[in-house]
């Protein structure tokens, strides 16, 4: 059974940092891509960042490039999203999700992801 659990959300001031964790089971990153997506109040779900199983690289939305970084700890079955220079527009519920060897990760398409965590709330405000 595929399972994903997000943690590390919280409230920070603009310019601050948070690190989100996605701990997973039931698959490996050799065959599944893992992405981060977010949904703000009143807005549609959007892609943030994704690690592709095809090349192992991270892909980032333009809105977070240079501020957010993906990295993994294979021994812990965990993927982290380091978020720096946070802005109020980053406020959202952040989800991690997986896709079995498809293009959704590269193009940050939330509709193509097969399994989802329950989300972690990130609030950026002064």
């Amino acid at each position: 059974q595929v399972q994903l659990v997000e943690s590390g959300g919280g409230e920070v001031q603009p310019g601050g940092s948070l690190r989100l964790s996605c701990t997973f089971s039931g698959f490996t990153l050799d065959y599944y891509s893992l992405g981060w997506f977010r949904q703000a109040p009143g807005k549609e779900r959007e892609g943030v960042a994704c690690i592709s199983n095809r090349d192992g690289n991270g892909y980032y939305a333009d809105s977070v490039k240079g501020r957010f970084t993906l990295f993994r700890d294979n021994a812990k079955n965990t993927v982290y999203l380091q978020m720096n220079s946070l802005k109020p527009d980053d406020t959202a519920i952040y989800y991690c999700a997986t896709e079995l060897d498809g293009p959704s990760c590269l193009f940050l398409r939330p509709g193509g992801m097969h399994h989802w965590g329950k989300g972690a709330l990130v609030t950026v405000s002064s």
Side-chain angles (χ1 to χ4, degrees):
Q1 183 180 10
V2 172
Q3 184 176 358
L4 307 102
V5 179
E6 303 94 341
S7 62
E11 184 173 357
V12 297
Q13 294 185 353
S17 298
L18 282 174
R19 186 170 69 182
L20 299 179
S21 300
C22 178
T23 300
F24 59 88
S25 61
F27 66 94
T28 73
L29 297 180
D30 294 326
Y31 301 103
Y32 285 77
S33 296
L34 188 149
W36 287 94
F37 302 82
R38 67 187 183 187
Q39 188 162 17
K43 298 182 178 180
E44 293 187 353
R45 187 172 46 185
E46 64 177 353
V48 176
C50 195
I51 294 178
S52 173
N53 73 289
R54 297 180 176 182
D55 56 19
N57 293 328
Y59 296 86
Y60 300 87
D62 289 341
S63 60
V64 306
K65 285 181 179 177
R67 300 189 298 120
F68 291 11
T69 304
L70 288 166
F71 60 99
R72 74 185 84 182
D73 186 333
N74 291 329
K76 296 182 179 180
N77 277 1
T78 299
V79 173
Y80 302 93
L81 181 66
Q82 179 67 43
M83 305 185 294
N84 299 326
S85 301
L86 284 161
K87 303 184 293 185
D89 285 348
D90 296 318
T91 296
I93 298 175
Y94 284 71
Y95 303 89
C96 60
T98 62
E99 176 193 34
L100 176 59
D101 192 29
S104 296
C105 183
L106 175 63
F107 297 104
L108 296 171
R109 297 171 179 162
M113 310 307 287
H114 301 143
H115 302 277
W116 294 82
K118 291 182 170 59
L121 177 62
V122 172
T123 301
V124 185
S125 66
S126 59

